[in-house]
Amino acid sequence: MSNFAIDFSPELIAAKRVLLVEDSSVTQDLIQLVLSQGGHSVDIFSEGKAALEALKTNKYDVALVDYHLPDMTGIELVTQYTQKVSDGARPYFVAITGDMKSLLRDRSVTTVFDRLMPKPLDIDAVCTLVETAEVDEAKKSNADDTSRVELTQIPDFLIATLESLNMRFLRWPEDLRSSASVKVDDYDALLVTDASSFSQVWTVPGAHLLPVIDATGSLGSCADIDGTALRMSDVKRVSDIVQSFFERRMQMYSDVAQSSDFADKLLGRMWVTGKTLTPVYSGADKSLVDFPVPIETRELMGLIKQISANAHLSPTFFDRFHECAQCLSSRFNVREECPSCQSTQLNDESYIHHFQCAYQGPESDFTQGQDLVCPKCRHTLKHFGRDYDRPGQMVVCGGCKSATSEPFVGFVCCDCSHRTDGDTIETVDVFSATLTEAGERYLRAGTTQIGISEKALRFADLPLELVIYLNKLARAYNEHKVPFSLCYITYKNEASVITEHGTRHVSQARRVFFEALGQAISIDKKTFRGSTYDFVLVGNLEPDKAKLLLEEASRFAEGAIKIDLAPEYQLFGPADFSA
């Protein structure tokens, strides 16, 4: 194994020159590692002044700039650069910060930076950004634009209610200037102050898993809490909703929770709300139904069908609607029409039968003033039952005067005016949907249940610090054949124990267990807590020997907690990371 490496970016991409302005050595090492492996060159500076000189001297494709620098803010750095260098292509400027709220207090942020990314960084998102970054042309030509986005005012009573709960909430859209990854566990709820753009909320990773508080009063069933109707007496109800969402988010498999696939987002949303996806009748939508999620109804019905095929949803018939073949609308004027000319000017008339000459026709054919005169033989009809009778009713067209006993049914689309015959109109079935047991298992454990059954460690599963140490041990193995083992710990009973004891209690028990496990291992090791898994990196020991050591230490650690998490271990050695 001469070339040890963890392959994070297997596809061949165009190399970029990247400037990183960041004073954290861990973040420096990590970004240097992953971008270098992707073929990019990275210049690193810890202070803004030195970075500014580099920007003026060199040409960079992307500049990753920390907001809090020792000598200036990231906004000051980029502003000084754009003031001094007005010609030529500017880098794609990305603000990285763990203090997103402070960054967004300066309303010039969206004119200074092309993208915002919160810490802790999603390194996969950073790699994708570097590979695809293109500078906004408006900023390239007018970096001094002073346009501002006015923040929507939130009603005082709503702020008071939320503050009484000490809630951490994201305001939509004020606090989310880009589609950068959002660590949903840093927030309790999504506060919507502008409903016009709410359909875009699912483009922000993780935002669909937050309870939605509607400050506009216009989201209807898409909101979990109507903020316009909140009173201080509702504090406990809001708290219970937020807590329920939090506990269910914590039970989700991290990859599914962070997935950009709308099918996964829909399943995740159903899981955190704990509700069946039930449509309601709505004339506002072309489909005549509305669902409590911000997805176009036709697209959503396709998702339900797709997910049901995977057995993750169980559909239940709701209703059948007619559908326009031209624009797919279900809003129709359903009307009786003349079979000859399709006119709707139809009138019901008595059907008269003249016995003497056997002529039959509508009453209007016989009417002459106050008399009834047969249009065929010209005899006046005087006695009902002896001269004539009325055997029934018929429909007469006021346009072409043709008569029929059975008018046609036609459909005229109210959205595009396309007309369709009643016997050829298409129909579409609408279903409600319920999560199945298979769907719940997928949300808790992902496609591979525990993610490692085929010895497939993926970068998204590993804490950032672990990646750095793992590559250091890899280098030592390549150069000196020093063995090491990476232990990947899952907790088989975690889901069932959460149901019984609650997420917070289980999270605390897992922390105590893992700390005790680390204390029981006396040899060279490093421990790392993950959101879904925990890791132990053991130096100078092969996987088979390390597994025996860990199982012995586990027996000691399990005695430190009162609940049975059923920890399971998978170990990986250098051979498992071969390119």
Side-chain angles (χ1 to χ4, degrees):
M1 190 176 67
S2 59
N3 293 314
F4 183 102
I6 303 177
D7 186 12
F8 302 128
S9 302
E11 297 182 359
L12 185 62
I13 53 157
K16 299 285 182 69
R17 187 169 185 181
V18 180
L19 173 69
L20 173 63
V21 192
E22 165 66 59
D23 59 350
S24 167
S25 59
V26 172
T27 303
Q28 288 177 356
D29 290 346
L30 184 63
I31 292 181
Q32 174 81 52
L33 169 67
V34 295
L35 293 184
S36 296
Q37 287 189 343
H40 309 294
S41 61
V42 184
D43 292 345
I44 299 176
F45 295 91
S46 299
E47 296 185 350
K49 185 176 180 180
L52 181 58
E53 293 302 315
L55 279 167
K56 292 189 291 185
T57 305
N58 305 312
K59 181 179 179 181
Y60 294 100
D61 298 296
V62 180
L64 306 172
V65 182
D66 189 14
Y67 175 55
H68 291 296
L69 296 170
D71 54 347
M72 65 178 69
T73 68
I75 291 178
E76 291 172 340
L77 169 60
V78 180
T79 300
Q80 289 184 32
Y81 166 76
T82 54
Q83 288 174 347
K84 294 180 180 180
V85 181
S86 57
D87 298 328
R90 69 195 292 270
Y92 187 92
F93 282 109
V94 182
I96 55 177
T97 182
D99 188 12
M100 188 65 76
K101 289 184 179 180
S102 294
L103 178 66
L104 289 172
R105 287 193 187 104
D106 189 328
R107 299 185 184 181
S108 66
V109 63
T110 55
T111 62
V112 172
F113 288 102
D114 300 285
R115 179 77 173 267
L116 312 182
M117 297 194 77
K119 291 182 180 178
L121 291 174
D122 180 338
I123 298 300
D124 289 332
V126 172
C127 293
T128 300
L129 181 149
V130 168
E131 294 165 9
T132 61
E134 294 181 3
V135 179
D136 184 274
E137 290 297 329
K139 290 177 181 172
K140 187 184 297 184
S141 60
N142 187 12
D144 294 327
D145 181 14
T146 57
S147 62
R148 299 290 185 265
V149 178
E150 294 298 328
L151 299 181
T152 303
Q153 296 299 314
I154 303 172
D156 292 339
F157 74 86
L158 179 54
I159 289 292
T161 304
L162 299 179
E163 287 181 346
S164 69
L165 291 166
N166 193 29
M167 290 182 64
R168 301 161 298 173
F169 57 88
L170 287 171
R171 291 182 297 180
W172 177 271
E174 292 94 337
D175 289 349
L176 294 170
R177 300 300 188 187
S178 71
S179 59
S181 297
V182 174
K183 185 174 175 58
V184 296
D185 292 340
D186 288 343
Y187 302 94
D188 296 303
L190 185 72
L191 180 63
V192 178
T193 60
D194 180 2
S196 65
S197 62
F198 184 67
S199 61
Q200 302 173 26
V201 73
W202 277 23
T203 64
V204 180
H208 64 291
L209 300 178
L210 292 172
V212 175
I213 302 175
D214 180 16
T216 70
S218 61
L219 288 180
S221 60
C222 285
D224 303 294
I225 300 166
D226 183 359
T228 61
L230 278 184
R231 297 296 179 264
M232 293 302 294
S233 58
D234 295 319
V235 166
K236 184 179 185 305
R237 179 174 67 87
V238 175
S239 178
D240 289 344
I241 292 173
V242 171
Q243 178 65 19
S244 174
F245 269 70
F246 171 79
E247 292 186 356
R248 285 181 167 266
R249 286 201 309 272
M250 292 302 99
Q251 296 173 34
M252 287 183 64
Y253 180 66
S254 60
D255 276 9
V256 180
Q258 298 165 12
S259 173
S260 60
D261 184 82
F262 266 40
D264 287 342
K265 288 178 181 287
L266 178 61
L267 288 173
R269 181 65 187 173
M270 293 177 65
W271 171 252
V272 294
T273 60
K275 297 177 181 177
T276 295
L277 190 65
T278 304
V280 293
Y281 295 106
S282 172
D285 193 278
K286 291 173 68 173
S287 65
L288 292 184
V289 292
D290 193 18
F291 285 85
V293 289
I295 303 178
E296 195 277 327
T297 300
R298 296 295 176 184
E299 180 181 358
L300 180 59
M301 291 192 293
L303 281 176
I304 293 174
K305 183 176 181 180
Q306 169 193 333
I307 302 171
S308 299
N310 295 332
H312 291 162
L313 285 181
S314 175
T316 301
F317 181 80
F318 173 73
D319 205 345
R320 178 169 293 163
F321 296 87
H322 297 95
E323 184 176 73
C324 175
Q326 185 161 293
C327 74
L328 303 183
S329 173
S330 290
R331 295 187 290 210
F332 287 101
N333 175 24
V334 183
R335 62 191 198 174
E336 290 185 331
E337 298 177 341
C338 171
S340 300
C341 69
Q342 298 178 354
S343 171
T344 57
Q345 189 183 352
L346 304 178
N347 301 299
D348 290 329
E349 294 189 27
S350 294
Y351 190 72
I352 293 181
H353 176 205
H354 183 201
F355 297 148
Q356 181 175 339
C357 68
Y359 180 79
Q360 302 179 61
E363 184 172 348
S364 58
D365 287 356
F366 290 81
T367 302
Q368 292 188 10
Q370 299 296 320
D371 298 325
L372 294 176
V373 179
C374 177
K376 178 181 179 181
C377 65
R378 310 306 301 171
H379 281 86
T380 301
L381 311 183
K382 297 182 178 181
H383 303 287
F384 178 78
R386 189 173 66 186
D387 296 333
Y388 68 97
D389 67 358
R390 301 174 185 270
Q393 293 287 112
M394 66 190 317
V395 177
V396 179
C397 176
C400 68
K401 305 302 181 181
S402 63
T404 180
S405 60
E406 193 70 33
F408 283 2
V409 175
F411 290 74
V412 177
C413 178
C414 295
D415 288 293
C416 71
S417 301
H418 180 69
R419 183 198 168 278
T420 309
D421 288 338
D423 55 355
T424 61
I425 190 76
E426 297 290 337
T427 60
V428 58
D429 292 343
V430 176
F431 296 85
S432 61
T434 306
L435 272 172
T436 64
E437 290 185 5
E440 293 184 5
R441 287 196 300 271
Y442 171 70
L443 287 165
R444 291 175 183 270
T447 55
T448 59
Q449 304 303 314
I450 60 173
I452 57 174
S453 58
E454 297 180 357
K455 296 276 187 179
L457 276 179
R458 294 173 303 106
F459 179 67
D461 292 332
L462 305 180
L464 306 184
E465 295 86 353
L466 173 56
V467 175
I468 297 173
Y469 284 107
L470 190 58
N471 275 266
K472 290 179 180 178
L473 292 180
R475 193 177 303 112
Y477 180 86
N478 284 333
E479 295 174 358
H480 307 292
K481 298 301 179 185
V482 179
F484 69 90
S485 299
L486 174 63
C487 178
Y488 187 102
I489 307 174
T490 59
Y491 301 92
K492 184 178 180 181
N493 291 347
E494 184 171 18
S496 59
V497 175
I498 285 175
T499 302
E500 182 177 354
H501 297 282
T503 302
R504 296 187 187 274
H505 185 68
V506 172
S507 178
Q508 182 180 11
R510 184 175 142 186
R511 178 180 57 78
V512 172
F513 166 81
F514 192 60
E515 288 178 356
L517 180 71
Q519 294 170 5
I521 303 173
S522 57
I523 64 172
D524 178 29
K525 88 312 182 161
K526 286 188 177 295
T527 58
F528 303 89
R529 287 293 309 276
S531 60
T532 307
Y533 315 106
D534 293 327
F535 304 87
V536 178
L537 191 56
V538 181
N540 298 297
L541 205 63
E542 293 81 5
D544 54 346
K545 296 179 181 179
K547 185 174 184 179
L548 295 174
L549 177 67
L550 284 161
E551 288 176 345
E552 182 179 348
S554 180
R555 287 189 286 271
F556 166 79
E558 288 183 77
I561 58 177
K562 296 180 180 180
I563 58 179
D564 181 18
L565 293 174
E568 294 184 339
Y569 305 91
Q570 290 286 336
L571 276 95
F572 300 82
D576 297 308
F577 297 96
S578 300

